[in-house]
Amino acid sequence: MSGARRPRIGVLALQGDVREHVHALEASGADARPIRRPAELDEIDGIVIPGGESTTMSKLLGIFELYDPLAEKLSDGLPAYGSCAGMIMLASTILDTRPDARHLDALDITVRRNAFGRQVESFETDLEFAGITDADDADPMRAVFIRAPWVESVAPGVEVLARVPEGPARGRIVAVRQGDVLATSFHPEVTGDRRVHEYFVEMVRR
């Protein structure tokens, strides 16, 4: 991939904050586009799986005949970023989900759905994000959690990038990376802080 070309990054456009992710990716130096058909997977260098409802998303992947092609692309090394429900879809093990829900097994982690509680218990906090906020003079990252999962455990080779800094969920893992797969429990696309998207665009570019 030429260093001069903007990386082509798709956003899975079945539900969730598709438009917000596309805008954030474009602002971060990518050529972003919605993905709804299997053939479109052949045209991208990376993919974002947005938030939404993970069991519904797994059904829609089947309805749109995207599940198997996307799983194959991820197995072959397609870089991916999942936020909130996207983290659940990328995980290898999911707690508190329906028995018929499918996931993509791209991250060797165990996640718990709706770990922070119901919609009314959504919250915001500032956190430190390895590789982003540890730069000189970098501000903490404002993170928005909406019916979010957290990571219960990670396998060797999975890097923990962020944890909840305080409160009842203090220490819970909310951002991870394994190779070219990134996931966050929170929604950076809604805050105007582009640093997670810039981080992922740079991952794809490399």
Side-chain angles (χ1 to χ4, degrees):
M1 185 165 45
S2 170
R5 179 169 67 79
R6 292 165 65 93
R8 298 166 299 188
I9 300 180
V11 179
L12 187 65
L14 305 182
Q15 61 168 190
D17 292 338
V18 176
R19 183 181 302 175
E20 290 84 352
H21 276 294
V22 168
H23 178 74
L25 289 165
E26 290 278 356
S28 300
D31 172 10
R33 59 193 70 181
I35 300 295
R36 296 186 182 90
R37 294 187 294 272
E40 294 169 337
L41 294 172
D42 295 327
E43 302 171 356
I44 56 174
D45 305 309
I47 191 164
V48 171
I49 303 177
E53 206 286 318
S54 59
T55 55
T56 300
M57 193 178 298
S58 72
K59 290 181 181 179
L60 291 172
L61 281 169
I63 291 170
F64 282 81
E65 299 182 340
L66 274 164
Y67 179 85
D68 289 333
L70 178 55
E72 183 177 348
K73 288 287 186 182
L74 293 170
S75 179
D76 289 342
L78 180 71
Y81 165 49
S83 64
C84 198
M87 169 187 272
I88 297 170
M89 291 303 301
L90 290 170
S92 58
T93 304
I94 305 170
L95 305 178
D96 298 333
T97 193
R98 292 169 44 133
D100 60 343
R102 298 195 296 176
H103 43 96
L104 294 163
D105 294 323
L107 273 172
D108 199 358
I109 60 175
T110 297
V111 300
R112 185 176 298 279
R113 290 180 70 244
N114 299 334
F116 292 98
R118 298 179 179 274
Q119 188 90 10
V120 294
E121 297 170 287
S122 301
F123 70 101
E124 299 181 23
T125 190
D126 290 330
L127 51 77
E128 301 297 327
F129 193 112
I132 296 177
T133 64
D134 47 9
D136 291 342
D137 300 323
D139 293 328
M141 181 171 293
R142 191 67 175 173
V144 176
F145 296 85
I146 305 171
R147 294 186 65 193
W150 65 44
V151 179
E152 290 272 340
S153 63
V154 302
V158 177
E159 182 183 4
V160 174
L161 300 177
R163 296 177 182 266
V164 177
E166 58 188 4
R170 180 179 179 181
R172 291 294 186 178
I173 300 168
V174 292
V176 294
R177 177 179 177 178
Q178 183 176 13
D180 288 328
V181 182
L182 173 71
T184 63
S185 300
F186 53 92
H187 291 266
E189 74 279 5
V190 303
T191 64
D193 187 335
R194 303 293 182 231
R195 288 179 291 175
V196 171
H197 290 86
E198 291 167 359
Y199 182 95
F200 181 60
V201 169
E202 188 58 29
M203 282 174 53
V204 175
R205 184 177 285 118
R206 289 178 177 174

